[in-house]
Amino acid sequence: MSLTNERIQQRLTEKFGDVLTGFEEPFGMLTFTAQKDYNLKIMQFLFDDEELRFRFLTDVTAVHYPERKGEELAVVYHLHNFVDNVRLRMKVYTPVASPKVFTATSLYQSANWMERETYDFFGIDFVGHPNLIRILNVDEMTYFPMRKEFPLEDPMRTDKDDEMFGRGGHF
Amino acid sequence: MLDQKQHIKLPEGSIEKNTTTLNLGPTHPATHGVFQNILEIDGERIVSAVSTVGYIHRAFEKIAERRPYYQITPLTDRLNYCSAPINNFGWIMTVEKLLGLELPKRVEYLRVIIMELARIADHLICNAVMGVDTGALTGFVYLMTYRELIYEIYEEICGSRLTTNIGRIGGFERNFTPAAFEKIERFLKEYPEALKEFETLLTRNRIFMERTQGVGAISAERAMSYGFTGPNLRAAGVDYDVRVATPYSSYQDFDFSVPVGTTGDCYDRYLVRNAEMWESISIIRQAMDKLKGLPDDVYHADVPAYYLPDKKDVYTKMEALIYHFKIVMGETDILPGEVYNAVEGANGELGFYLISDGGRSPYRLHFRRPCFIYYQAYAELVKGAMLSDAIVCMSSLNLIAGELDA
């Protein structure tokens, strides 16, 4: 019998109880929020359990919500069970002031670069990561460019002198 | 990276302090794009490797946060530029999933044809270049003709060749011309011959086999742990294909098999790609047959709020003018939501994770790039191999710099 979202939710709540909140199913994918100190324990359980078998880490990324005080950064994990072909999404919120989250590199090799990328763009400090350095941006950078306080330039701005940009100024 | 002390464990029997640091890339002809690999070599044997990426990073995800949805499609072209239409459709399908759009069957079949052509274009380049990297240029020349033909087909359909920007939310920008169908028919007729010839040239070639068999092998467990997908994972023996596992577009209507390898070495990756090209040809044939029973003037869904109206309607009908204005100015309502959509890209699972807050641009868009995720295994694949194996290993993984750096 294939694994259903209800069954996964049931197994997870049995094991972790109040640690997990916000269960929902946007577009059919089971999504929940975990307390950040438990992220590794939950992934370990999802990995080891003979019924759940989430042994493929599809993706790790982060989202910045500046208006959520005390939990500005969300780390999002997408896990996949190849046998039953089920995916799930786990979110962990962490304050931007000390964005410390446990690394998943001990469970999944693939987490290594994906976490480095997440660190590079959002500044999530993955505790226990073997080599947490910038990956796509230059090493000298001191900020984390995907955060919302660094908006891209407004394409509609008019104060720019086009002549300086090779587009001819006057029509 | 270079000034850091490297802790090198020397292979048994080697003379201490006898290793050399060698920069393979980023401008080496065999590193195809911009991959820097700092190899520590003992004679010709690789002791350790460090891979560096990011030379052409251009902030795809950040730029996407400022653009209306339909303007993000051209950005996706620049990711895996060997098979740009798959990226385009992957993105468009993500938006369609968010909006809950249903497409007519003909549009889905046309998309499948284009996506499979793109897969063939990507695989043929990868395999042909693998031949070049092992010293066989002829096969490359044989197959390039057909990549050219595929580009001509794109050109007939959307007007451009490499960065296609093909497809729109809801369907295609215009209908396929008879010339496009003629070219597809010609491709179906001629390409199998060329592919057969290419296989005759390489598959049982002694030199090619010696250079690729047992090189860069990875077990199924390691491949999964490293996040391999696509042909690289299937070569290791894991039967996972997004087209079969979670069918998208209309892949459930087609009859095809998923080629699987056993050893996970470079040779198996080559074989899997070749076998996949045959499957793709068969899928295109089936799609062409299925098209015959359908009306030939349907090329988009009836979704005026998202699909740009015909230009002549814009000039004559008020409603079309309003929709045109709203779409172009990015004022169309996009529903708030959170969606992950994956397609089977030419080199693995291509995922788009999109969070919309209802605004004109995505609140957050993350792109799961198969290349980026499995390139970190490269150091493990080449460890203990010869320097020449490092080249074959790289070409057999089908690394595309545009996608790797995003």
Side-chain angles (χ1 to χ4, degrees):
Chain A
M1 203 190 85
S2 80
L3 201 57
T4 58
N5 284 350
E6 291 75 44
R7 180 71 186 144
I8 302 168
Q9 181 173 347
Q10 188 194 343
R11 288 299 310 271
L12 282 168
T13 5
E14 273 169 19
K15 176 89 180 164
F16 293 100
D18 294 342
V19 170
L20 306 173
T21 48
F23 280 97
E24 48 180 351
E25 289 181 32
F27 300 96
M29 191 188 282
L30 183 69
T31 303
F32 57 87
T33 305
Q35 284 176 22
K36 70 166 188 164
D37 296 342
Y38 287 86
N39 72 330
L40 204 56
K41 285 195 183 111
I42 294 160
M43 273 194 275
Q44 183 83 56
F45 174 68
L46 287 167
F47 188 97
D48 289 338
D49 190 81
E50 276 310 314
E51 191 185 352
L52 299 176
R53 296 181 286 194
F54 282 89
R55 288 174 192 159
F56 189 80
L57 178 68
T58 305
D59 195 26
V60 178
T61 188
V63 190
H64 188 205
Y65 297 102
E67 72 285 359
R68 287 178 179 243
K69 294 292 167 231
E71 45 168 41
E72 287 91 348
L73 292 166
V75 182
V76 185
Y77 299 89
H78 282 92
L79 298 170
H80 193 171
N81 171 342
F82 270 157
V83 186
D84 298 295
N85 191 26
V86 187
R87 291 176 197 271
L88 66 79
R89 183 187 295 137
M90 182 172 88
K91 292 184 183 180
V92 174
Y93 287 93
T94 172
V96 76
S98 90
K100 287 187 191 301
V101 171
F102 290 115
T103 173
T105 39
S106 51
L107 267 177
Y108 308 99
Q109 277 290 334
S110 56
N112 191 322
W113 277 25
M114 289 195 262
E115 287 181 353
R116 270 176 72 186
E117 191 197 18
T118 312
Y119 161 74
D120 193 349
F121 288 110
F122 289 91
I124 309 275
D125 182 6
F126 287 98
V127 179
H129 191 286
N131 186 27
L132 198 64
I133 52 171
R134 289 195 181 267
I135 187 160
L136 291 177
N137 291 307
V138 287
D139 293 342
E140 299 81 34
M141 227 162 150
T142 50
Y143 52 95
F144 303 108
M146 281 298 284
R147 288 190 185 171
K148 292 285 178 189
E149 66 255 37
F150 305 109
L152 279 179
E153 189 183 78
D154 185 353
M156 308 302 267
R157 64 184 278 194
T158 52
D159 59 326
K160 213 160 65 176
D161 187 355
D162 271 354
E163 212 159 356
M164 308 296 281
F165 296 89
R167 290 197 283 263
H170 311 285
F171 292 101
Chain B
M1 189 85 55
L2 278 174
D3 54 13
Q4 283 172 9
K5 196 165 181 280
Q6 304 218 358
H7 299 283
I8 300 153
K9 200 163 176 277
L10 293 173
E12 230 167 285
S14 65
I15 307 160
E16 211 185 338
K17 300 274 179 207
N18 213 11
T19 61
T20 316
T21 306
L22 182 82
N23 271 278
L24 184 68
T27 52
H28 189 279
T31 51
H32 302 179
V34 276
F35 313 113
Q36 188 190 13
N37 291 295
I38 306 162
L39 306 175
E40 200 64 33
I41 50 173
D42 175 25
E44 270 202 71
R45 200 160 286 284
I46 297 164
V47 184
S48 74
V50 177
S51 309
T52 318
V53 298
Y55 288 95
I56 60 166
H57 167 60
R58 75 224 107 146
F60 164 78
E61 291 169 11
K62 191 76 187 176
I63 298 171
E65 285 180 9
R66 267 235 92 113
R67 289 203 179 193
Y69 285 71
Y70 75 100
Q71 280 189 2
I72 292 172
T73 327
L75 295 178
T76 61
D77 285 329
R78 276 88 182 154
L79 298 165
N80 184 348
Y81 41 75
C82 283
S83 51
I86 300 183
N87 304 342
N88 295 161
F89 288 134
W91 161 246
I92 289 167
M93 278 181 223
T94 311
V95 182
E96 283 167 355
K97 193 171 172 183
L98 182 73
L99 298 170
L101 303 187
E102 282 279 328
L103 266 56
K105 271 286 174 208
R106 184 167 188 267
V107 177
E108 300 283 26
Y109 293 151
L110 292 178
R111 279 190 177 176
V112 167
I113 292 176
I114 297 298
M115 282 194 280
E116 290 309 313
L117 281 173
R119 191 180 318 283
I120 293 175
D122 193 291
H123 283 354
L124 77 82
I125 280 298
C126 176
N127 274 355
V129 166
M130 208 169 146
V132 174
D133 285 342
T134 51
L137 184 70
T138 321
F140 181 73
V141 181
Y142 282 171
L143 290 191
M144 267 316 253
T145 328
Y146 292 95
R147 192 186 76 154
E148 195 58 27
L149 183 54
I150 292 173
Y151 280 7
E152 275 179 33
I153 296 168
Y154 296 166
E155 205 177 354
E156 280 295 331
I157 292 155
C158 67
S160 47
R161 294 157 56 82
L162 184 74
T163 49
T164 49
N165 190 17
I166 207 169
R168 295 289 179 266
I169 296 166
F172 283 90
E173 185 226 343
R174 52 186 131 156
N175 205 352
F176 281 29
T177 57
F181 284 114
E182 267 165 40
K183 287 199 159 121
I184 296 170
E185 290 289 356
R186 201 183 119 206
F187 180 82
L188 286 176
K189 197 162 143 262
E190 291 175 15
Y191 185 60
E193 288 298 313
L195 186 55
K196 217 178 278 172
E197 200 161 357
F198 176 74
E199 284 187 331
T200 322
L201 197 70
L202 275 186
T203 307
R204 303 300 298 168
N205 183 313
R206 195 72 240 159
I207 301 169
F208 184 73
M209 285 165 82
E210 298 265 337
R211 285 291 304 276
T212 51
Q213 282 183 340
V215 173
I218 189 162
S219 68
E221 286 73 34
R222 292 299 287 165
M224 273 165 73
S225 179
Y226 266 119
F228 275 39
T229 41
N232 294 340
L233 180 66
R234 291 194 283 275
V238 182
D239 180 10
Y240 173 66
D241 187 320
V242 187
R243 291 176 294 175
V244 178
T246 39
Y248 53 93
S249 197
S250 57
Y251 275 106
Q252 65 280 10
D253 297 358
F254 296 95
D255 183 25
F256 62 98
S257 62
V258 179
V260 177
T262 47
T263 56
D265 60 5
C266 294
Y267 188 65
D268 265 20
R269 290 196 271 271
Y270 161 85
L271 291 181
V272 165
R273 285 205 177 85
N274 255 346
E276 265 183 39
M277 281 197 268
W278 288 108
E279 293 300 326
S280 293
I281 294 170
S282 138
I283 294 173
I284 300 172
R285 277 224 177 90
Q286 293 173 41
M288 291 290 275
D289 287 342
K290 282 180 199 286
L291 280 181
K292 278 177 191 140
L294 296 168
D296 59 1
D297 55 347
V298 183
Y299 59 96
H300 65 88
D302 186 20
V303 281
Y306 308 108
Y307 183 83
L308 267 182
D310 217 354
K311 205 69 188 169
K312 72 171 195 298
D313 291 345
V314 177
Y315 292 136
T316 51
K317 292 181 186 144
M318 194 60 211
E319 206 147 272
L321 177 67
I322 293 170
Y323 280 128
H324 181 97
F325 181 80
K326 286 188 88 168
I327 295 170
V328 171
M329 297 308 285
E331 285 175 4
T332 318
D333 291 334
I334 299 287
L335 308 171
E338 185 175 13
V339 59
Y340 176 81
N341 184 44
V343 296
E344 178 72 25
N347 51 5
E349 177 177 329
L350 193 65
F352 289 87
Y353 174 49
L354 169 67
I355 299 178
S356 162
D357 61 351
R360 69 198 283 263
S361 319
Y363 184 80
R364 171 93 174 97
L365 172 62
H366 179 71
F367 180 47
R368 187 216 190 257
R369 320 186 291 282
C371 249
F372 175 76
I373 291 165
Y374 61 64
Y375 185 41
Q376 56 186 314
Y378 182 73
E380 187 177 310
L381 291 182
V382 299
K383 199 169 182 180
M386 305 297 275
L387 183 56
S388 56
D389 296 340
I391 306 289
V392 188
C393 237
M394 199 182 306
S395 46
S396 75
L397 283 176
N398 195 5
L399 296 165
I400 313 285
E403 183 182 272
L404 186 74
D405 286 359

